[in-house]
Amino acid sequence: DAGVTQSPTHLIKTRGQQVTLRCSPISGHKSVSWYQQVLGQGPQFIFQYYEKEERGRGNFPDRFSARQFPNYSSELNVNALLLGDSALYLCASSLWGGERTEAFFGQGTRLTVV
Amino acid sequence: AQSVAQPEDQVNVAEGNPLTVKCTYSVSGNPYLFWYVQYPNRGLQFLLKYITGDNLVKGSYGFEAEFNKSQTSFHLKKPSALVSDSALYFCAVRDDQGGKLIFGQGTELSVKP
């Protein structure tokens, strides 16, 4: 069975540029969440989507946006990149967005901003 | 607000010995607790969860966790450590709105032969 897949795996961008990260959830999963993991820290929540609607947003600036498509895949967009946006971006999928369900993570996209 | 704390940045264990990775939590309602493992340059792998019921939860790869309500702890354990268990371990709690996972800072587990 395919797990959560993210693309690309690595990305190098210049300050001020824009980036789009993509995620395909496990088949049958309807909830997708995005997390940012800075080196040496635990993942920080960015967004959650369930059935194509935003269900939660973390403490990130408006430069960060996301959406979920009818096939439940998702994109995370970051505009006006800053050096501090360099991190591992993780996508997680779960059956639904409830508190009892575990989330399954992709391998992440390593974003480097230079 | 929900939170978790992992008091040890690093845990060192000899292969074959039991291991414990500590986690304490703070929640306003029912605790929904999770353990994940992360290998270098990889995403997080789900190990186990506590939702309700037995205080001893069994998970993947021989890991288990003990939920202790009075001590607000959820420690990860394994009876006999393997070198391949060396990785970064994260404890997490579900937000009380049911959405996001709130992670601890992580504990680096090193198992030496």
Side-chain angles (χ1 to χ4, degrees), chain B residues 57-112:
Chain B
V57 179
K58 294 192 181 296
S60 305
Y61 313 118
F63 284 93
E64 56 191 26
E66 186 173 10
F67 172 74
N68 188 316
K69 187 174 182 178
S70 62
Q71 297 186 4
T72 62
S73 66
F74 188 54
H75 300 333
L76 182 70
K77 301 183 178 186
K78 188 174 183 181
S80 179
L82 300 172
V83 173
S84 58
D85 292 330
S86 298
L88 189 56
Y89 289 80
F90 290 98
C91 180
V93 64
R94 276 287 187 189
D95 179 73
D96 55 5
Q97 302 302 312
K100 64 182 179 183
L101 285 167
I102 300 167
F103 287 87
Q105 287 292 96
T107 297
E108 184 83 40
L109 173 67
S110 177
V111 182
K112 299 292 187 197

Side-chain angles (χ1 to χ4, degrees), chain B residues 1-2 25-32 67 69 93-96:
Chain B
Q2 321 285 74
Y25 66 89
S26 174
V27 300
S28 56
N30 293 320
Y32 300 110
F67 172 74
K69 187 174 182 178
V93 64
R94 276 287 187 189
D95 179 73
D96 55 5

Side-chain angles (χ1 to χ4, degrees), chain A residues 11 14 17 26 28 30 47 50-51 57 76 81 83 103 109:
Chain A
L11 203 52
T14 304
Q17 286 189 314
I26 293 171
K30 298 182 178 181
F47 284 109
Y50 176 64
E51 288 282 15
R57 182 185 182 116
L76 175 69
L81 285 167
L83 294 179
T109 294

